[in-house]
């Protein structure tokens, strides 16, 4: 039965991502908003539903270690694996604006998380409020950018713009399918792994981290294959910012979260890998296939490390 549910979960993820990207792209063209901004907001929030659900549920159950580990692990996966695989399909072009603005902001957010956690080796209620204030600033920044781009943008090139009701149906239906499919994949894969004698700790570090990042992976790959490279990259950057500022902000506001040394090490790894990818993007204003391969190899080394420590 678990194998059937696993297949159903993957089908929901893939088809849901397909509809979600189509609906979001059409909204971007209709409102004359760049795909990058749509990717950083609507798409990023939709594909972060599994991380949000897992971390907030963990906070409510006072299982705070899962909340922090899930977010940081998922962010590293998003950056190295999602971007790396997308670069194999199509070079990920990165605008100067993103290189000077949103990308460095995502690194700053990770640094902020490390500082807040390092001070008292925990994230308290006030830390959660600080993260949520930064999230409000990020949303305001994206809305202002969208309005500015809409005013400056000329008429769009030919593109099949769907009716607004169909866009909303695609976005909401696609997001629901992504969230439900992600849950099915995680639950069924965990059950299958347990039958093979894998420990719960190893399952959490591998299957759950991979499963909650599947929506970002599938959505970004679909976007890259549709040549919506701005949406693919925007989805990753936006999801990473959303995961730290909103998900951990809400989770720590609900229940203070203890930090362990492993969390600090993982955040340092996230910052280091973010700076590396930023350097890759800065050299030619795009991430090419060879750099994507390097990113995947580095993630494999990191995954080996977390399984052995």
């Amino acid at each position: 039965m678990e194998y059937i549910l696993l297949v159903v979960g993957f089908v929901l993820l893939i088809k849901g991502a397909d509809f979600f990207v189509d609906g979001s792209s059409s909204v971007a063209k209709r409102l004359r908003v760049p795909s990058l901004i749509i990717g950083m907001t609507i798409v990023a929030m939709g594909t972060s539903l599994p991380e949000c659900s897992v971390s907030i549920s963990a906070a409510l159950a006072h299982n705070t270690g899962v909340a922090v580990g899930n977010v940081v692990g998922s962010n590293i996966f998003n950056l190295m694996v999602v971007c790396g695989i997308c670069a194999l399909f199509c070079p990920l072009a990165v605008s100067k604006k993103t290189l000077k603005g949103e990308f460095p902001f995502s690194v700053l957010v990770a640094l902020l998380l490390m500082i807040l956690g390092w001070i008292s080796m925990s994230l308290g209620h006030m830390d959660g409020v600080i993260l949520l204030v930064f999230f409000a600033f990020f949303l305001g920044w994206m809305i202002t950018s969208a309005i500015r781009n809409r005013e400056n943008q000329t008429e769009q090139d030919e593109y099949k713009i769907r009716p607004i009701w169909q866009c909303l149906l695609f976005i909401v239906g696609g997001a629901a399918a992504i969230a439900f499919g992600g849950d099915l994949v995680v639950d069924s894969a965990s059950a299958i792994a347990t039958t093979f004698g894998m420990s719960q700790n190893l399952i959490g570090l591998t299957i759950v981290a991979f499963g909650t990042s599947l929506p970002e992976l599938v959505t970004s790959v679909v976007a890259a294959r549709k040549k919506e490279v701005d949406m693919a990259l925007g989805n990753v950057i936006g999801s990473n910012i959303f995961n730290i500022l909103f998900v951990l902000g809400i989770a720590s506001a609900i229940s203070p979260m203890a930090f362990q040394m492993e969390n600090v090490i993982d955040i340092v790894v996230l910052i280091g890998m973010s700076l590396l990818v930023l350097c890759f993007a800065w050299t030619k204003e795009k991430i090419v296939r060879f750099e994507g391969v390097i990113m995947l190899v580095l993630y494999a080394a990191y995954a080996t490390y977390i399984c052995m420590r």
Side-chain angles (χ1 to χ4, degrees):
M1 186 62 181
E2 283 81 8
Y3 292 97
I4 296 173
L5 292 176
L6 186 64
V7 172
V8 171
F10 275 118
V11 170
L12 285 173
L13 275 172
I14 294 166
K15 294 309 296 179
D18 208 3
F19 283 122
F20 198 74
V21 170
D22 276 350
S24 301
S25 299
S26 194
V27 167
K29 300 299 186 292
R30 177 178 288 277
L31 299 179
R32 301 199 302 276
V33 174
S35 295
L36 178 69
I37 293 176
I38 293 292
M40 286 192 180
T41 52
I42 298 173
V43 177
M45 291 178 191
T47 55
S48 289
L49 285 174
E51 286 93 339
C52 191
S53 174
V54 169
S55 293
I56 292 176
S57 296
L60 288 170
H62 301 290
N63 191 359
T64 55
V66 172
V68 177
N70 174 48
V71 165
V72 177
S74 293
N75 279 15
I76 294 173
F77 183 92
N78 290 346
L79 184 70
M80 304 303 283
V81 177
V82 175
C83 283
I85 291 178
C86 287
L88 299 183
F89 284 100
C90 177
L92 287 177
V94 189
S95 67
K96 279 287 186 186
K97 177 180 174 296
T98 303
L99 289 172
K100 294 179 179 179
E102 293 87 357
F103 209 142
F105 183 73
S106 70
V107 180
L108 177 66
V109 163
L111 185 62
L112 173 66
L113 176 63
M114 188 184 73
I115 292 171
L116 291 178
W118 179 268
I119 290 173
S120 59
M121 289 307 285
S122 67
L123 284 179
H125 296 304
M126 186 54 65
D127 297 321
V129 171
I130 292 172
L131 292 175
L132 291 173
V133 167
F134 270 83
F135 180 68
F137 165 76
F138 172 69
L139 274 186
W141 178 16
M142 289 298 99
I143 292 170
T144 303
S145 297
I147 293 172
R148 188 183 303 118
N149 276 279
R150 187 178 180 184
E151 289 173 350
N152 296 338
Q153 213 167 11
T154 56
E155 206 60 38
Q156 294 291 317
D157 51 358
E158 288 187 17
Y159 180 86
K160 182 184 177 183
I161 299 179
R162 302 181 184 279
I164 194 68
W165 66 267
Q166 197 174 47
C167 293
L168 292 174
L169 181 64
F170 277 24
I171 290 172
V172 174
I178 287 169
F180 188 57
D183 284 342
L184 275 181
V185 169
V186 171
D187 293 343
S188 55
S190 296
I192 292 168
T194 302
T195 62
F196 283 98
M198 291 176 65
S199 68
Q200 289 299 317
N201 184 47
L202 187 56
I203 291 170
L205 287 172
T206 54
I207 296 170
V208 175
F210 170 72
T212 55
S213 292
L214 272 178
E216 285 89 346
L217 175 60
V218 176
T219 302
S220 290
V221 169
V222 169
R225 293 190 67 179
K226 290 175 179 285
K227 307 301 181 184
E228 290 280 0
V229 290
D230 278 348
M231 186 173 291
L233 183 64
N235 175 36
V236 169
I237 296 175
S239 290
N240 283 8
I241 293 171
F242 180 83
N243 286 345
I244 291 176
L245 295 183
F246 183 79
V247 176
L248 284 184
I250 291 289
S252 56
I254 292 171
S255 175
M257 297 186 289
F259 248 58
Q260 297 178 356
M261 201 60 209
E262 285 83 357
N263 297 133
V264 176
I265 293 171
D266 290 337
I267 297 172
V268 170
V269 170
L270 173 61
I271 294 170
M273 289 183 172
S274 297
L275 292 173
L276 175 65
V277 175
L278 183 58
C279 289
F280 282 164
W282 198 280
T283 50
K284 302 176 182 175
E285 293 188 21
K286 62 183 177 182
I287 301 170
V288 296
R289 182 173 295 156
F290 175 69
E291 291 166 339
V293 171
I294 293 175
M295 290 158 65
L296 292 172
V297 170
L298 285 176
Y299 182 80
Y302 167 74
T304 303
Y305 159 70
I306 62 174
C307 289
M308 293 177 62
R309 73 183 179 189

